[in-house]
């Protein structure tokens, strides 16, 4: 997984992006202005930077140019803005940004942009012996990809579910609310275990908004830490 620096003057944006990307297994560094972003960049070289354009002290474009002129733009940068224009996006890419995200940023666009940025900058993968040519033409087998191809999906029974079976027996001779809560708790525990505790993937799988999902899990008393495994997607 990657170390990602999120630079945004809005606390809510920093918290949301940090939560989503941490849930995906990444390590997150936060900065609320250019000064803090410079300090983080001096201390380390993040694998990726999510950089807001409009900030109170120094705007993101200026900071991007500064890093470029100082030879510090050795990591991919994705620009973000809620008031961006085509001209702004073009300028950002001209001075070194790898992509531009317009706020409000959807979950799918964020994860896709992050994945593509990290894949483009990943070291070349060693040749995989015995892989059909069709896989070599797929996105996962691009020359810069470090993701191994999945030749076949494992059967459901072999997926790690922390002992939770895909079929369970429920006691129906009980009040409807209790029976429904028992089913929903088992349902969400099963999917959390199957997705290694990734709230992002469970939200996508179950069709719920992340905020609604969190409230539902807390209401049902689901242990959100039990299925967490560092680094897994």
């Amino acid at each position: 997984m990657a170390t990602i620096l999120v630079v945004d003057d809005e606390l809510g944006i920093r918290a949301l992006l940090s939560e989503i990307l941490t849930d995906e297994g990444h390590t997150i560094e936060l900065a609320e202005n250019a000064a803090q972003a410079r300090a983080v960049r001096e201390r380390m070289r993040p694998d990726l930077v999510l950089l807001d354009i409009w900030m109170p002290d120094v705007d993101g474009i200026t900071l991007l140019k500064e890093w470029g002129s100082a030879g510090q733009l050795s990591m991919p940068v994705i620009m973000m803005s809620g008031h961006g224009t085509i001209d702004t996006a073009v300028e950002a890419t001209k001075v070194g940004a790898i992509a531009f995200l317009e706020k409000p940023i959807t979950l799918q666009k964020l994860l896709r942009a992050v994945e593509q940025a990290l894949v483009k900058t990943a070291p070349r993968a060693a040749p995989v012996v015995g892989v059909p040519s069709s896989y070599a033409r797929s996105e996962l087998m691009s020359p810069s990809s470090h993701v191994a191809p999945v030749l076949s999906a494992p059967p459901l029974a072999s997926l790690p579910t922390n002992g939770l079976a895909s079929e369970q027996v429920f006691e129906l001779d009980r009040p409807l609310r209790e029976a429904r809560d028992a089913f929903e708790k088992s349902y969400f525990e099963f999917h959390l275990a199957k997705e290694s505790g990734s709230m992002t993937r469970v939200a996508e799988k179950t069709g719920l908004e992340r905020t609604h999902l969190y409230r539902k899990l807390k209401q049902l008393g689901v242990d959100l830490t039990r299925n967490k495994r560092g680094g897994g997607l």
Side-chain angles (χ1 to χ4, degrees):
M1 292 294 98
T3 298
I4 301 175
L5 170 59
V6 176
V7 187
D8 198 297
D9 62 310
E10 295 184 51
L11 175 61
I13 298 294
R14 294 198 308 273
L16 179 61
L17 294 180
S18 176
E19 178 184 315
I20 293 174
L21 296 173
T22 298
D23 195 43
E24 287 297 299
H26 301 295
T27 299
I28 307 303
E29 296 281 341
L30 298 175
E32 62 180 86
N33 52 45
Q36 292 183 7
R38 290 190 193 101
V40 174
R41 180 61 186 83
E42 289 293 331
R43 176 167 51 86
M44 59 179 293
R45 200 209 86 173
D47 299 304
L48 174 66
V49 177
L50 295 175
L51 178 59
D52 187 32
I53 289 183
W54 303 110
M55 295 189 294
D57 56 345
V58 176
D59 66 86
I61 297 290
T62 300
L63 181 59
L64 186 65
K65 291 179 179 178
E66 178 185 308
W67 278 340
S69 62
Q72 294 184 312
L73 200 57
S74 53
M75 65 288 180
V77 176
I78 297 175
M79 304 300 293
M80 307 179 294
S81 176
H83 310 283
T85 63
I86 294 178
D87 291 339
T88 305
V90 170
E91 182 183 4
T93 53
K94 281 184 177 179
V95 295
I98 196 171
F100 180 90
L101 291 175
E102 185 177 3
K103 298 177 183 177
I105 303 170
T106 65
L107 178 65
Q108 290 79 8
K109 285 185 178 180
L110 171 66
L111 297 181
R112 187 183 306 118
V114 168
E115 180 182 5
Q116 290 176 348
L118 293 175
V119 166
K120 286 180 181 178
T121 56
R124 286 180 171 270
V128 180
V129 178
V131 177
S133 58
S134 59
Y135 284 94
R137 291 191 296 269
S138 70
E139 182 180 354
L140 292 180
M141 284 300 294
S142 61
S144 61
S145 174
H146 64 289
V147 182
V150 178
L151 300 182
S152 60
L156 181 60
S158 67
L159 290 171
T161 58
N162 290 351
L164 293 174
S166 59
E167 295 184 6
Q168 299 184 38
V169 177
F170 295 95
E171 182 183 350
L172 301 181
D173 187 16
R174 59 197 304 184
L176 174 60
R177 178 178 293 274
E178 292 182 11
R180 184 181 62 196
D181 287 350
F183 167 77
E184 289 186 345
K185 183 176 182 180
S186 295
Y187 172 83
F188 287 117
E189 285 178 339
F190 171 79
H191 283 290
L192 280 168
K194 185 178 178 182
E195 301 298 338
S196 301
S198 170
M199 293 293 293
T200 299
R201 299 191 183 281
V202 172
E204 292 177 346
K205 181 70 68 69
T206 59
L208 295 178
E209 297 264 65
R210 287 174 60 91
T211 304
H212 184 193
L213 178 60
Y214 272 115
R215 286 201 301 264
K216 171 66 73 173
L217 296 180
K218 288 181 180 179
Q219 174 190 335
L220 295 172
V222 175
D223 184 0
L224 300 180
T225 63
R226 185 179 66 178
N227 299 302
K228 274 290 186 183
R229 293 192 304 210
L233 279 182

